[in-house]
Amino acid sequence: MSLKKVYEPYFKIGTSVSFWNMGSERAKQELKKHYSSITCENDMKPMFFLDEKANMENPEKYNLCPTLNFERAKPYLEFAKEAGIALRGHTLAWHNQTPFWFFKKDYSMDKEAPFADRETMLARLESYIKGVLEFVQTEYPGVIYAWDVVNEAMEENEEDCWRKKSLWYHTVGTDFVQYAFRFARKYADKDVKLFYNDYNTFMPFKRDNTCEKILKPLLEEGLIDGMGMQAHLVLNDSDLNDFEAALHTYGALGLEVQLTELDIHATDPSEEGMKNLADTYDALFRILVKAKKEGKANITCVTFWGMKDDESWLTGFRKEKSYPMLFGDDYKEKAAYYVVMDVPGEMK
C-alpha cells in the first residue's frame, strides 16, 4: 500500500520536489509510489521564469511584457506528464523570490532607481501570468491542475494585516490580489483551480483577516476556487483546535481547502521524540479525514513540504536540525508514516 492509495477516497497526497529529486531515480520511484500530486519547491517561482538577461538588454521592448524562460520548469513538467502525476503550480504572484528589478522603472538594477508606476506593474503582472499559463497549457496540457495565484499577501500583525513590505503592495496596492486573480481566471483553462496560499492561516486573527479582506471579495467576483493552508507547524507549539476551527471556517465559504506545505518542526530524533511527532500527525490527519467525511471542509489535497528529513528546508530556516517528515534517511518509514497510513482504516 502507499500514501496515495490509502487516502484516495478522501484527497490527493502530494509532496514538494526540487532539482535533486528530478536527478534521482530512487526519488522518482518514491514519487510514483506514494504521491498523486507534486509541487515544484522553487523552480516555478518568478525569479526562475523571468529572463533577466533579455529584459535587461531591451527594457524598452519588454517594459510592459517581460520575457520569460521556462527551462528550469521543464524537468518537472516532463516528469509529471510521464508519470501521470498531477502538478500544482507555485506561485504566480509573490513578494519574495521575485527580483527587485522587476518592480523598477526600465528594469533597473540600481536599488535607488524609481519604481515603475501602478499601470506599468499591472501590465507586467498580466503579461507574466498570461505568458506562464499559456506556456504550460500549450506545451503540457492538463498537467497543472491548480495554481497558487497569490502567495503570502497578509502579514502576521493583528492590527494591520497587509504585508506592506511587499513590492506588490508598494507599487500597486492591496488590489494587486484581485488583479492577479482576474488575470489568472482570464487565461487559465476552465478546469484549472485557483488558490490563495498563506502560512499561519490557522491563527484566529489571520484566519479572519484572510476571509474578510481576500477570500470573500474574490468569491464575490467568482475568481477563486480554493484556500491553501501552508501548515508549517511546530511540535508542541501549534494549536490543532485552532487549526480545525480554521479548516471549518474556510470550508464553510464553499472553497476547496488544501494543505499546501505541510511539515511539523521537530528537533528530538529519539524514539520518544519521534513518537510525539507521530502522535501529532495522527491527530492532524484525524481532523482532516473527519472534516472531509462530515462535509465540514472539501479537502482536495494534502502536500508535504519535502519527501524526507534530510531534504527539509526547516533545518536551514530554523537554524537547528529538524526531523519533520514521515520519512527519514534513505526514505526509511518513521513512526509518523505508519500512523498516517492507519488513520483512514481506523476511521471507517
Side-chain angles (χ1 to χ4, degrees):
M1 290 293 282
S2 66
L3 288 166
K4 68 179 181 182
K5 189 66 176 176
V6 166
Y7 282 91
E8 192 173 28
Y10 299 103
F11 38 74
K12 287 182 174 69
I13 294 291
T15 185
S16 65
V17 290
S18 295
F19 66 90
W20 52 78
N21 301 131
M22 293 297 95
S24 166
E25 288 305 314
R26 175 66 189 281
K28 290 179 179 179
Q29 290 172 12
E30 296 295 323
L31 287 168
K32 292 175 182 177
K33 176 180 178 181
H34 283 296
Y35 303 102
S36 47
S37 174
I38 57 174
T39 303
C40 181
E41 186 174 12
N42 280 300
D43 288 325
M44 294 180 72
K45 290 171 180 173
M47 68 182 290
F48 297 113
F49 278 166
L50 288 164
D51 190 328
E52 179 177 310
K53 184 174 184 292
N55 286 302
M56 295 291 173
E57 288 178 348
N58 202 336
E60 185 175 351
K61 177 180 179 180
Y62 297 121
N63 182 45
L64 301 181
C65 52
T67 187
L68 309 175
N69 187 316
F70 300 106
E71 290 306 309
R72 294 281 292 249
K74 287 181 179 178
Y76 305 92
L77 291 159
E78 293 285 354
F79 170 75
K81 178 181 177 181
E82 176 272 325
I85 301 177
L87 178 62
R88 297 188 81 255
H90 176 76
T91 172
L92 292 173
W94 189 28
H95 66 279
N96 199 7
Q97 290 187 266
T98 302
F100 78 90
W101 57 260
F102 181 65
F103 299 93
K104 292 289 189 173
K105 185 178 179 181
D106 300 324
Y107 297 131
S108 176
M109 289 290 284
D110 182 358
K111 291 193 175 182
E112 301 304 315
F115 287 100
D117 61 38
R118 171 182 162 91
E119 294 310 312
T120 296
M121 289 310 304
L122 285 174
R124 290 177 183 176
L125 178 62
E126 179 171 11
S127 178
Y128 178 84
I129 290 174
K130 178 177 185 285
V132 172
L133 293 183
E134 287 187 346
F135 169 76
V136 297
Q137 291 168 178
T138 300
E139 300 297 322
Y140 299 92
V143 171
I144 293 184
Y145 73 99
W147 276 97
D148 292 327
V149 177
V150 175
N151 196 45
E152 299 175 358
M154 307 293 280
E155 188 59 90
E156 288 184 278
N157 188 317
E158 295 186 49
E159 309 243 338
D160 190 4
C161 59
W162 290 103
R163 186 180 292 278
K164 287 191 167 63
K165 291 182 179 179
S166 164
L167 292 182
W168 282 116
Y169 177 94
H170 181 77
T171 57
V172 175
T174 60
D175 62 348
F176 91 86
V177 176
Q178 254 93 358
Y179 276 100
F181 274 89
R182 287 169 189 158
F183 299 147
R185 184 64 83 198
K186 180 178 179 180
Y187 297 109
D189 286 345
K190 59 181 175 55
D191 56 345
V192 173
K193 301 299 179 72
L194 305 181
F195 280 74
Y196 174 70
N197 191 53
D198 213 329
Y199 66 95
N200 286 349
T201 49
F202 60 90
M203 291 182 172
F205 71 88
K206 193 162 186 178
R207 173 199 70 203
D208 294 344
N209 279 322
T210 299
C211 287
E212 294 303 318
K213 298 181 183 297
I214 291 183
L215 302 182
K216 289 181 180 178
L218 291 173
L219 278 166
E220 287 174 6
E221 288 192 53
L223 298 175
I224 189 170
D225 300 298
M227 175 63 196
M229 301 178 69
Q230 289 186 13
H232 295 297
L233 307 179
V234 178
L235 193 62
N236 302 324
D237 195 35
S238 295
D239 191 328
L240 291 186
N241 291 322
D242 283 347
F243 191 95
E244 185 173 30
L247 187 69
H248 293 174
T249 299
Y250 300 130
L253 293 176
L255 292 167
E256 290 186 19
V257 181
Q258 294 190 359
L259 274 61
T260 55
E261 305 180 22
L262 173 62
D263 48 31
I264 302 176
H265 179 49
T267 58
D268 178 7
S270 70
E271 183 177 349
E272 181 180 357
M274 291 297 95
K275 182 182 183 305
N276 192 8
L277 177 70
D279 289 345
T280 304
Y281 269 117
D282 179 67
L284 175 63
F285 272 80
R286 288 177 185 276
I287 287 170
L288 298 174
V289 171
K290 182 171 184 251
K292 181 75 173 191
K293 289 179 68 173
E294 295 180 354
K296 297 291 181 63
N298 181 23
I299 304 163
T300 53
C301 186
V302 174
T303 296
F304 294 92
W305 206 241
M307 295 177 69
K308 53 193 179 81
D309 287 342
D310 61 352
E311 294 177 359
S312 172
W313 73 298
L314 282 171
T315 292
F317 179 74
R318 295 281 181 177
K319 295 181 171 51
E320 56 183 348
K321 181 63 178 173
S322 188
Y323 305 87
M325 312 311 302
L326 304 190
F327 299 93
D329 295 347
D330 199 33
Y331 302 98
K332 180 175 174 56
E333 298 92 345
K334 296 163 58 178
Y337 167 81
Y338 292 107
V339 299
V340 169
M341 286 286 285
D342 287 344
V343 167
E346 293 177 357
M347 295 187 68
K348 283 183 179 178

